Amino acid sequence: MRVALHSEIREGAVDLYRERHLRIPDDLVAVFGRLGIHDWTIWRSGRRLFHLVDCDDWDAAYAALPGEPADQAWQRDIGRFVELFRDADGAEGTDPLELIWDLAAQRDGGR
C-alpha cells in the first residue's frame, strides 16, 4: 500500500532538516524493513513536506514505531525541526492524506 503524509518544518529549520535526511540512521532503516516499510520519500514546498510511504500496512507500522528505540532516538533528533503533521482536512493529525486519483489504478481498470 502507499500512503501520503503532510508535515511542516519549523521556521528556519529547512537546512538542518535536509541535512539530517542526507542519510538516516542504519538502525532506523532496519526497523522500517522489519515493519514492512519498503520506501519513504519526502518532497518539500516551502515549509511543507509531503511524504510518500510504500508499506505493507501503514496502521500497523505506525503503531509499532514508537516502541522502537531507533525511532525514539530519531524522533528526539528530527522532532526538533518538525512543527506538526496535518491530516487530509488540514487539521493537526497524522492520518494519511486522501487519495484523489491514481493514474496506474485507472490504467488497470480502477478509478
Side-chain angles (χ1 to χ4, degrees), residues 6-78:
H6 173 206
S7 61
E8 295 179 14
I9 302 175
R10 293 186 193 283
E11 187 71 41
V14 170
D15 290 337
L16 290 171
Y17 184 88
R18 185 185 296 119
E19 178 184 306
R20 291 296 192 284
H21 282 85
L22 290 174
R23 182 175 177 92
I24 69 168
D26 290 334
D27 58 345
L28 184 59
V29 171
V31 166
F32 285 169
R34 194 167 30 62
L35 296 180
I37 297 173
H38 307 294
D39 196 16
W40 191 318
T41 55
I42 304 171
W43 289 269
R44 183 181 71 84
S45 176
R47 291 180 42 223
R48 295 178 182 94
L49 300 172
F50 298 93
H51 310 245
L52 182 61
V53 184
D54 178 17
C55 57
D56 295 333
D57 181 336
W58 173 251
D59 291 335
Y62 188 72
L65 277 171
E68 296 288 341
D71 187 62
Q72 292 166 6
W74 177 248
Q75 294 306 321
R76 280 191 304 274
D77 181 38
I78 206 66

